[in-house]
Amino acid sequence: MIQLLITDASCVVQGDPIAGWTELDATIRFNAPASGTVTLPARPEVMAQLQPGNRLVVIRDGAIWTSGPMEIPTDFTWSIENEPGVGAVDIGFSDDLAKLAGYITWPAPASPWSAQKGNTWRQLNSTGGESIIRTLVNENAGPGARADRRIVNLSLAPAAGAGTTTTCRTRFEGLLDVCRRVAIDGGNIGFRTWQDGDRILFGCYTPQDKTATARFSTALGNLRALSYKQSAPEATHVLVAGSEKEEPDTARTFIERADAAAAATWWRVERYLDGGADTDANGELTAAGNAELAEGAAPVELSTVTVDTPDLRAGPDFGLGDRVTVALPHGQDVTDLVRSMHLQATPNSGEYVTTLIGSPEATTDPQMVRTVRTLTRRLGRLEAR
């Protein structure tokens, strides 16, 4: 059962649950903002709630599937031929990670923008990946941020004890880009936002190994369709270079991170990376190389159309970042992480859930979109110098 609510930025419900919706499409993603659309009848009481800054809450079987800001609160259509009566309104929405995606990392987050120094970095050394991510979110957008940068009602959830020791060096980069990089090198942990009453909580978690219990196959009756693609790695050896020295004859630091197994299975693929630090004294270059290596791993893209059974349901029984198993029709088992879960629903046809499983670059985005994203991240490093 699907229920839709509209709240303001402070999570205060603005009216009754929306009745008469005709089509819902909502995708939640591992360590990335959600996205979705829903078509509603453009009745006056509905239109009154679709104000800039308001949020949409999607509730599935009594639990929140996703909740966050409406990026397109009103896309209204009407015609006498196709939409008699009040017409229809399409809404584009995300989850509250989308707000964090609009922030960059300030080198001195407690100081005003005019007092930032171009040669200063925000350095967090030899600590847990969860601690670094929580610190970056708190000081840039959370309750510990400057008043003008705080996201309304955003709080940090209790620490989960997730992740391993890593390091972070950043300035003027996208906040979520840095968090994803730390999450990969800091133990492949997850982070997310969720609504708890009138609060928006941010927290980290440790994805679970569900390969024995979360299994999809035609024999089990929970697999309707699948597409499977395996690609060669984009990088097996990342050659990380420290910043060039102004003094002549001063040695420059070079670090190599390699996936020997992938190179042996496929072939050697080298990628050069400007590590953004002078040395690897605190592991900055190693961390950058590890993240780049993970992103360039041989992607396994497995898109499945699953159906809930009493024993296995998306959300309650497996979640984003969990490792699950899919049995291919020709006998091979594929296990990897759940990268996204796509919910589609209409009042008449019911619900369908599509699960995307694979490496960090397993995505439905076109190759050009992924290339532009990578170039944008690298240009950001250059501009931060």
Side-chain angles (χ1 to χ4, degrees), residues 31-375:
N31 292 354
S35 64
T37 59
V38 63
T39 301
L40 308 175
R43 298 191 301 266
E45 65 272 19
V46 173
M47 299 298 289
Q49 299 181 52
L50 305 183
Q51 301 300 318
N54 281 359
R55 304 167 63 255
L56 179 71
V57 182
V58 179
I59 301 173
R60 183 190 184 213
D61 296 334
I64 294 178
W65 175 266
T66 186
S67 63
M70 295 185 291
E71 297 177 310
I72 304 176
T74 304
D75 185 358
F76 173 74
T77 58
W78 177 89
S79 71
I80 194 170
E81 293 87 1
N82 300 322
E83 296 171 0
V86 297
V89 59
D90 292 330
I91 298 172
F93 61 91
S94 185
D95 63 10
D96 292 296
L97 275 182
K99 293 184 178 180
L100 291 170
Y103 283 71
I104 63 174
T105 56
W106 288 19
S111 301
W113 179 252
S114 58
Q116 301 297 310
K117 296 181 179 179
N119 59 354
T120 300
W121 292 79
R122 183 66 176 103
Q123 188 88 36
L124 296 163
N125 295 328
S126 301
T127 187
E130 177 184 21
S131 177
I132 292 176
I133 292 172
R134 287 168 60 87
T135 297
L136 290 173
V137 169
N138 181 50
E139 66 188 19
N140 284 285
R146 290 173 52 83
D148 58 335
R149 301 186 73 204
R150 293 175 194 158
I151 294 176
V152 177
N153 282 30
L154 178 66
S155 301
L156 296 182
T164 56
T165 299
T166 184
T167 189
C168 177
R169 176 180 166 93
T170 181
R171 59 176 180 176
F172 311 140
E173 295 180 273
L175 175 58
L176 286 192
D177 290 338
V178 180
C179 289
R180 278 190 288 269
R181 189 170 71 230
V182 173
I184 291 172
D185 194 52
N188 288 312
I189 62 177
F191 57 83
R192 63 190 182 99
T193 57
W194 67 97
Q195 182 175 329
D196 180 23
D198 62 354
R199 297 185 301 164
I200 299 168
L201 296 180
F202 175 89
C204 299
Y205 64 97
T206 302
Q208 303 299 303
D209 185 347
K210 299 289 186 72
T211 53
T213 58
R215 183 178 178 85
F216 302 96
S217 70
T218 55
L220 292 173
N222 59 7
L223 184 63
R224 290 188 174 181
L226 65 86
S227 62
Y228 171 76
K229 179 173 73 173
Q230 186 175 21
S231 306
E234 297 178 359
T236 63
H237 292 71
V238 178
L239 310 175
V240 189
S243 302
E244 292 190 64
K245 305 290 186 177
E246 296 182 0
E247 301 83 1
D249 302 324
T250 302
R252 188 179 182 187
T253 303
F254 293 93
I255 297 293
E256 179 180 341
R257 305 304 298 164
D259 185 342
T265 301
W266 296 89
W267 49 79
R268 183 182 177 106
V269 184
E270 296 181 344
R271 176 179 291 179
Y272 172 83
L273 176 67
D274 186 336
D278 293 336
T279 71
D280 197 42
N282 295 303
E284 302 97 322
L285 302 183
T286 296
N290 288 342
E292 194 80 6
L293 191 65
E295 290 183 356
V300 172
E301 299 179 34
L302 180 63
S303 178
T304 65
V305 178
T306 65
V307 58
D308 282 349
T309 67
D311 297 325
L312 187 60
R313 301 178 65 242
D317 298 316
F318 66 92
L320 295 172
D322 290 346
R323 183 173 291 274
V324 299
T325 300
V326 176
L328 303 184
H330 54 271
Q332 180 183 357
D333 282 355
V334 176
T335 68
D336 216 314
L337 304 187
V338 175
R339 294 292 168 183
S340 68
M341 295 191 295
H342 182 192
L343 170 65
Q344 294 175 294
T346 66
N348 296 327
S349 62
E351 304 172 9
Y352 296 90
V353 177
T354 302
T355 304
L356 185 66
I357 301 165
S359 72
E361 284 302 290
T363 173
T364 55
D365 290 340
Q367 179 64 38
M368 180 59 72
V369 173
R370 303 203 297 271
T371 301
V372 169
R373 186 186 302 125
T374 300
L375 291 175

